[in-house]
Amino acid sequence: MSIYQHFRPEEKEVIDQVLNWKDQVENTYAPKLTDFLDPREQHILKSIIGQHSGIQWDLFGGIPNAERKRALIFPDYYESDKDDFQICLFEVEYPKKFITLEHRQVLGSLMSLGLKRGKFGDILFEDDRIQFFVSEEVEDYIRLQLESIGRASVTLSKLPFAESIQTSEEWRECSVTSTSLRLDTVISAVYNISRQKSQLFIQQGMVKVNWTLIENPSFECKEGDMISVRGQGRSKIMGIEGKTKKEKWRIIAGRQK
């Protein structure tokens, strides 16, 4: 049975990448460190590598409950260590009294440096403090190049992981019904908005499923999917519990608090 059958067609590129990493470790008998992976990519990696004896994986993103993590794939003789993940933590220094910065501004400024998203880990906020994780190989480049975020001039200070902002994800569960598992109807049910509005959000490029932009309203949602709608927050499909007497799907969803 093909490994691709277990995943969505659009995930083929990630699957091929993971299979390539696996082969590399088997052939060289040496560890392989990846860029930062989003949780869906981590799931695919675990599913594929987990079936092969002789090869192990470990994930680390700087803090225990990091969302984006680097993966280390290694032969089973190897003992992995936090230093192997080559991650650096920066705190952003900016004129906090006069300016407020948002997550998208920080990410936008980092992306404008011409680096791939995979070079950056989580961006953390606590009150007016901002931190982010990066791969060590781009640490010096970012320190030199990142001079402003939004309209604020910034400088970066490097910190040990022990001084990182601690985040906790809390989900508020709710049960909703939806006429189908199409993305537009699921968004409409979970966020309690009209279907027209949910279609508009999708068409305007404001919706991601599993950290990937989806512009097709008929995209079919599955259990475990993470949905984010810009301006509306994130939700997660925790369970799909079959159909009601009126032939509607009963969905257990979590909304981020």
Side-chain angles (χ1 to χ4, degrees):
M1 191 163 81
S2 162
I3 198 159
Y4 299 101
Q5 285 176 302
H6 300 289
F7 303 98
R8 292 185 164 121
E10 61 269 21
E11 293 172 331
K12 183 181 184 300
E13 206 178 309
V14 181
I15 296 160
D16 290 342
Q17 178 84 78
V18 173
L19 290 169
N20 184 21
W21 291 333
K22 177 187 75 70
D23 292 345
Q24 244 179 294
V25 174
E26 280 178 335
N27 296 333
T28 61
Y29 214 54
K32 164 73 188 165
L33 179 64
T34 74
D35 278 345
F36 284 95
L37 307 176
D38 68 40
R40 181 65 190 171
E41 292 165 336
Q42 294 166 32
H43 169 73
I44 292 170
L45 180 136
K46 290 185 227 176
S47 304
I48 293 172
I49 306 282
Q51 297 165 359
H52 294 271
S53 58
I55 292 190
Q56 296 186 18
W57 51 265
D58 205 355
L59 296 162
F60 182 61
I63 49 174
N65 53 357
E67 189 168 88
R68 300 176 62 81
K69 297 175 182 174
R70 297 188 85 170
L72 189 71
I73 305 161
F74 51 93
D76 51 14
Y77 76 86
Y78 190 84
E79 291 279 322
S80 77
D81 181 277
K82 294 236 185 324
D83 291 343
D84 292 334
F85 290 91
Q86 297 170 25
I87 294 171
C88 157
L89 172 65
F90 279 132
E91 178 140 352
V92 181
E93 307 294 345
Y94 65 101
K96 296 171 182 172
K97 272 185 184 169
F98 309 105
I99 227 148
T100 305
L101 295 176
E102 294 175 9
H103 185 283
R104 62 187 174 81
Q105 292 173 301
V106 180
L107 180 58
S109 297
L110 290 171
M111 295 300 286
S112 72
L113 300 178
L115 296 167
K116 292 190 305 186
R117 180 68 179 98
K119 296 298 175 195
F120 308 109
D122 286 5
I123 299 169
L124 309 174
F125 277 77
E126 185 180 67
D127 302 324
D128 57 6
R129 290 179 72 204
I130 303 170
Q131 297 176 346
F132 59 86
F133 295 101
V134 300
S135 304
E136 270 178 12
E137 64 263 29
V138 295
E139 173 190 335
D140 293 339
Y141 177 77
I142 290 168
R143 196 197 288 270
L144 285 170
Q145 298 292 327
L146 189 70
E147 294 176 336
S148 64
I149 296 173
R151 292 202 303 269
S153 297
V154 301
T155 54
L156 301 177
S157 53
K158 187 176 175 180
L159 296 178
F161 294 149
E163 290 181 40
S164 61
I165 294 167
Q166 298 304 308
T167 60
S168 62
E169 268 197 352
E170 285 188 52
W171 296 91
R172 190 176 63 245
E173 277 191 36
C174 60
S175 175
V176 295
T177 56
S178 176
T179 49
S180 78
L181 296 176
R182 282 173 52 115
L183 181 58
D184 56 356
T185 56
V186 169
I187 287 176
S188 172
V190 172
Y191 291 88
N192 196 19
I193 57 176
S194 72
R195 189 155 162 205
Q196 282 165 312
K197 200 165 187 182
S198 70
Q199 286 175 342
L200 195 64
F201 284 147
I202 294 165
Q203 286 158 7
Q204 290 176 339
M206 295 168 73
V207 175
K208 288 185 178 182
V209 179
N210 300 326
W211 299 270
T212 302
L213 189 68
I214 303 291
E215 293 176 315
N216 174 13
S218 62
F219 177 92
E220 186 164 317
C221 296
K222 294 181 179 176
E223 201 166 303
D225 280 350
M226 178 79 84
I227 301 169
S228 72
V229 181
R230 198 185 313 149
Q232 305 289 316
R234 298 207 293 186
S235 61
K236 191 178 191 173
I237 298 179
M238 294 177 161
I240 297 173
E241 301 196 324
K243 288 189 168 180
T244 65
K245 286 177 185 164
K246 292 184 178 174
E247 287 295 292
K248 285 187 169 186
W249 290 97
R250 188 182 299 285
I251 298 169
I252 304 295
R255 291 283 303 273
Q256 209 157 23
K257 285 185 180 177

